[in-house]
């Protein structure tokens, strides 16, 4: 018998490897080993700084290996997101260069695909919502195209005849999270970064200033501390408007030479992301349930039914894996980047559903802040000071 599907994250290590002894000091200490922490650390190493990264478990285990790898500035655009879309487009612009550098530095292909995203509708109500979304995209200056059902199905012949409308977002791309995390890990180490898995760290404060981090193996001095722990970012001296938003996802095994889709397809219920190894990721639920990581029958049913409504070919595919993860979601669903009221302590968290999309712009912003003393461009609008003092830094 094949046995049950894997209910862990895709290819996640079960236990952290033996970590090296932490250094006594470093230029920058990063707390959190997801895509944000790793990419930020890698860019700081490229700038000539010494970096130590502390991960309480294994690299990518929080949200990064549970993600789909969407780089979808246009498809993700929602009402009230006008300021956020500028940040998303800037990061999307940076991605091709980052992808090339990362593949060269990490020595691994990250499956960066420029196939675009197709949003589809099957009912009158869904078409109305899709029309509204397309009008928003058009007013925001996003390059998207309205398609009728026939044109949508010509892009993706496997879709059901009930698909009656679509929006094509050619500028939206994707990567494979498993490959990105592996490449970042390798690039970080090759650049001389000190990677400490299985070692939790908290900011070390003296006289109201961050002077490093404390760990069970002792303190580590650092000129700058970057808190990039995703949904687990917690600092006793700060009250951050941050919460976990659970998502369940699953992977279907498709023959690599006969992919069921050629690009990402989104519906009202799910998104479908084909990867070059033949995997089709179906995600993701949106659940307010704290850190309850249970994979549930209702969640899996919602994913499969949402996918089957538009893509009948999934019915014969084996389920390869099922997992859950926690999006780090802020009070306004936008990232929290930059300085806190504690000197020497920076934040890089709160990326909600857009950790992979926003990783390059986040890494560039934190690197600029550390090396030049400030952030310019769209990222400058996403500091913690935008929240009330009671919520953000009280």
């Amino acid at each position: 018998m094949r046995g049950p599907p894997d209910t862990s994250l895709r290819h996640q290590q079960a236990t952290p490897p033996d970590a090296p002894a932490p250094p006594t000091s470093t230029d920058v200490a990063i707390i959190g080993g997801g895509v944000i922490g790793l990419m930020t650390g890698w860019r700081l190493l490229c700038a000539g700084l010494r970096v130590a990264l502390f991960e309480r478990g294994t690299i990518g285990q929080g949200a990064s290996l549970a993600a789909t790898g969407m780089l979808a500035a246009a498809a993700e655009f929602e009402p009230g997101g006008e300021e956020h879309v500028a940040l998303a487009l800037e990061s999307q612009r940076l991605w091709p260069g980052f992808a090339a550098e990362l593949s060269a530095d990490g020595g691994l292909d990250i499956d960066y695909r420029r196939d675009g995203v197709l949003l589809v509708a099957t009912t009158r109500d869904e078409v109305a919502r899709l029309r509204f979304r397309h009008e928003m995209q058009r007013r925001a200056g996003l390059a998207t195209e309205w398609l009728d059902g026939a044109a949508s199905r010509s892009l993706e012949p496997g879709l059901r005849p009930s698909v009656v409308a679509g929006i094509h977002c050619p500028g939206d791309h994707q990567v494979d999270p498993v490959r990105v995390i592996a490449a970042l890990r390798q690039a970080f180490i090759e650049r001389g970064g000190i990677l400490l898995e299985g070692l939790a760290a908290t900011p070390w404060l003296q006289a109201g200033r961050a002077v490093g981090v404390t760990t069970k193996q002792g303190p580590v001095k650092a000129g700058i501390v970057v808190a990039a722990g995703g949904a687990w970012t917690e600092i006793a001296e700060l009250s951050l408007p941050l919460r976990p938003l659970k998502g369940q996802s699953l992977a279907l095994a498709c023959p690599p030479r006969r992919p069921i889709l050629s690009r990402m397809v989104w519906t009202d219920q799910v998104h479908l992301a084909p990867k070059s190894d033949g995997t089709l990721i179906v995600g993701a639920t949106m659940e307010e349930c704290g850190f309850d990581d249970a994979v549930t029958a209702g969640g899996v049913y919602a994913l499969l039914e949402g996918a089957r409504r538009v893509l009948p070919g999934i019915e014969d595919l084996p389920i390869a894996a099922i997992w859950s993860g926690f999006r780090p979601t802020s009070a306004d669903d936008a990232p929290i980047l930059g300085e806190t009221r504690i000197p020497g302590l920076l934040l890089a968290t709160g990326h909600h559903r857009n950790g992979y999309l926003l990783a390059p712009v986040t890494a560039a912003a934190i690197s600029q802040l550390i090396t030049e003393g400030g952030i310019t461009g769209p990222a400058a609008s996403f500091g913690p000071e935008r929240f009330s003092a009671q919520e953000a830094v009280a």
Side-chain angles (χ1 to χ4, degrees):
M1 295 179 63
R2 182 187 299 274
D6 180 9
T7 55
S8 66
L9 303 182
R10 292 175 65 205
H11 312 305
Q12 179 186 327
Q13 292 174 294
T15 57
D18 293 334
T24 57
S25 67
T26 186
D27 295 329
V28 182
I30 297 177
I31 302 172
V35 65
I36 297 298
L38 280 167
M39 192 170 284
T40 300
W42 171 55
R43 299 314 289 176
L44 291 170
L45 289 164
C46 292
L49 295 171
R50 294 178 302 147
V51 181
L53 188 150
F54 300 81
E55 166 54 47
R56 62 189 183 88
T58 56
I59 290 301
Q61 76 165 30
S64 296
L65 284 175
T68 306
M70 300 180 297
L71 315 177
E76 288 275 15
F77 183 52
E78 295 179 347
E82 288 76 13
E83 190 174 50
H84 187 264
V85 78
L87 183 72
L89 288 172
E90 174 64 12
S91 202
Q92 200 171 61
R93 183 187 67 80
L94 294 173
W95 249 109
F98 265 67
E101 287 185 62
L102 180 56
S103 293
D105 238 17
L108 298 169
D109 173 44
I110 63 170
D111 196 17
Y112 179 50
R113 297 178 54 160
R114 308 181 189 219
D115 307 307
V117 173
L118 178 64
L119 294 82
V120 299
T122 61
T123 68
R124 181 177 299 177
D125 287 345
E126 288 178 3
V127 171
R129 288 192 289 272
L130 207 60
R131 278 285 187 193
F132 177 74
R133 181 179 290 269
H134 188 241
E135 285 300 311
M136 286 196 311
Q137 293 170 339
R138 186 184 59 79
R139 289 194 297 269
L142 296 168
T144 62
E145 179 187 8
W146 181 264
L147 303 177
D148 61 18
S152 299
R153 294 190 298 275
S154 72
L155 284 181
E156 293 296 343
L159 295 175
R160 284 191 189 275
S162 56
V163 170
V164 292
I167 301 173
H168 186 215
C169 307
D172 287 351
H173 303 153
Q174 64 165 315
V175 292
D176 187 331
V178 172
R179 299 189 187 194
V180 171
I181 293 299
L184 279 172
R185 187 183 194 280
Q186 187 64 27
F188 183 87
I189 293 171
E190 289 293 326
R191 284 279 179 176
I194 300 174
L195 183 60
L196 299 142
E197 295 181 82
L199 187 60
T202 57
W204 176 19
L205 305 185
Q206 286 186 348
R209 177 182 180 85
V211 296
V213 297
T214 59
T215 77
K216 65 183 180 182
Q217 296 188 30
V220 177
K221 293 182 179 179
I224 295 290
V225 177
V226 180
W232 289 266
T233 303
E234 186 174 2
I235 301 165
E237 292 76 14
L238 303 179
S239 179
L240 300 176
L242 193 68
R243 72 190 192 280
L245 186 61
K246 177 181 171 180
Q248 298 183 56
S249 299
L250 59 86
L252 302 173
C254 303
R257 295 183 180 180
R258 291 189 291 111
I260 197 168
L261 289 175
S262 62
R263 60 180 53 74
M264 284 188 290
V265 171
W266 289 28
T267 76
D268 260 13
Q269 293 80 30
V270 297
H271 54 262
L272 306 157
K275 303 302 180 183
S276 294
D277 64 359
T279 302
L280 178 67
I281 297 180
V282 184
T285 63
M286 301 270 282
E287 303 172 54
E288 297 275 8
C289 59
F291 283 105
D292 177 3
D293 64 355
V295 173
T296 65
V300 173
Y301 175 81
L303 294 171
L304 291 173
E305 179 60 17
R308 191 190 66 82
R309 285 185 64 241
V310 297
L311 196 64
I314 71 161
E315 295 176 6
D316 295 325
L317 298 178
I319 297 176
I322 305 171
W323 64 89
S324 67
F326 299 100
R327 307 170 184 89
T329 301
S330 70
D332 60 1
D333 294 344
I336 308 173
L337 310 175
E339 297 175 292
T340 68
R341 66 172 178 81
I342 300 173
L345 178 60
L346 310 182
L347 294 175
T349 188
H351 292 76
H352 189 43
R353 301 192 306 190
N354 294 307
Y356 280 86
L357 170 61
L358 298 178
V361 77
T362 296
I366 298 300
S367 180
Q368 183 186 33
L369 178 57
I370 292 173
T371 60
E372 301 178 20
I375 298 175
T376 59
S381 301
F382 292 90
E385 68 276 1
R386 73 184 187 271
F387 302 106
S388 69
Q390 289 75 22
E391 283 184 320
V393 292

